[in-house]
Amino acid sequence: MKMVLIIFAINIVYVTFFTVRMILTLKGYRYFAAAVSMVEVVIYVVGLGLVLDSLDQIQNLIAYAVGYGCGVIIGTKIEEKMALGYITVNVITADVNHRLPKLLRERGYGVTDWSANGLDGDRSAMQILTPRKYELKLYATIQEIDPKAFIIAYEAKTIHGGFWVKTVKKGKLFK
């Protein structure tokens, strides 16, 4: 039973490192990802070695598999907390008086807005850029001001130019 718990724990740690390393790689943090991978591979070799030494013990293989699944969940939870990168949020609202863009700008968000047409008439469309760590706060703010707003979000891969980028680089966003 002790070996099952050890294999389970090792695989949780290994796959958590694997998941975080993969996300760091995709986000462009290659050197940090390389450092994480060195720890990851040591944990992997130890865990796999324990399982391969006792392939006749099915409970060890099951512990390995369950630990793997748990590691994916824990790794993605850690990534959510790290909240690396930026998101772009597109919002469409029936508020044609431009109240929502103005209130969002007052709260520190970079907003570009324009007039749009929808199925039921005139609309206001806007594009908002924000660090991922403020994503949920932004959604809550939009819902508070306009509960019927249509929201689409996606990850911003490259950002260049504009007042907002300068503000982020100076560390003055939302202060």
Side-chain angles (χ1 to χ4, degrees), residues 28-36 38:
Y29 296 90
R30 69 182 85 163
Y31 298 111
F32 193 55
V36 169
M38 291 186 296

Side-chain angles (χ1 to χ4, degrees), residues 133-168:
K133 64 183 171 183
Y134 299 120
E135 180 178 7
L136 298 179
K137 182 180 173 185
L138 173 59
Y139 296 155
T141 301
I142 293 168
Q143 292 295 309
E144 172 190 316
I145 298 168
D146 183 358
K148 293 183 179 181
F150 178 67
I151 303 168
I152 302 172
Y154 50 92
E155 186 173 355
K157 194 73 175 159
T158 304
I159 302 169
H160 176 78
F163 88 93
W164 196 84
V165 173
K166 293 174 189 170
T167 304
V168 170

Side-chain angles (χ1 to χ4, degrees), residues 114-128:
W114 60 93
S115 297
N117 296 300
L119 179 64
D120 295 327
D122 292 340
R123 298 282 183 262
S124 177
M126 63 201 82
Q127 190 170 61
I128 306 158

Side-chain angles (χ1 to χ4, degrees), residues 9 21 32 37 49 53-55 63 67 69 72 76 85 101 115 122 124 156 158 160-161:
R21 188 234 338 134
F32 193 55
S37 71
D53 283 346
S54 55
L55 279 177
V72 169
T76 55
S115 297
D122 292 340
S124 177
T158 304
H160 176 78

Side-chain angles (χ1 to χ4, degrees), residues 17-38 40 78-79 81-87 130-133 155-157 159 168:
F17 272 81
F18 172 84
T19 304
V20 170
R21 188 234 338 134
M22 187 62 65
I23 291 164
L24 289 169
T25 302
L26 293 172
K27 301 273 187 188
Y29 296 90
R30 69 182 85 163
Y31 298 111
F32 193 55
V36 169
S37 71
M38 291 186 296
E40 171 197 339
I78 289 171
E79 191 278 333
K81 297 291 183 200
M82 291 168 60
L84 300 172
Y86 299 88
I87 61 158
T130 189
R132 276 195 52 227
K133 64 183 171 183
E155 186 173 355
K157 194 73 175 159
I159 302 169
V168 170

Side-chain angles (χ1 to χ4, degrees), residues 66-128:
V66 173
Y68 198 100
C70 291
V72 169
I73 292 168
I74 292 168
T76 55
K77 292 287 185 190
I78 289 171
E79 191 278 333
E80 286 173 10
K81 297 291 183 200
M82 291 168 60
L84 300 172
Y86 299 88
I87 61 158
T88 300
V89 179
N90 288 336
V91 179
I92 301 172
T93 177
D95 172 26
V96 292
N97 296 326
H98 303 285
R99 187 175 68 99
L100 181 58
K102 182 178 183 261
L103 291 170
L104 291 172
R105 285 185 191 108
E106 288 172 0
R107 295 183 187 191
Y109 295 99
V111 181
T112 300
D113 68 304
W114 60 93
S115 297
N117 296 300
L119 179 64
D120 295 327
D122 292 340
R123 298 282 183 262
S124 177
M126 63 201 82
Q127 190 170 61
I128 306 158

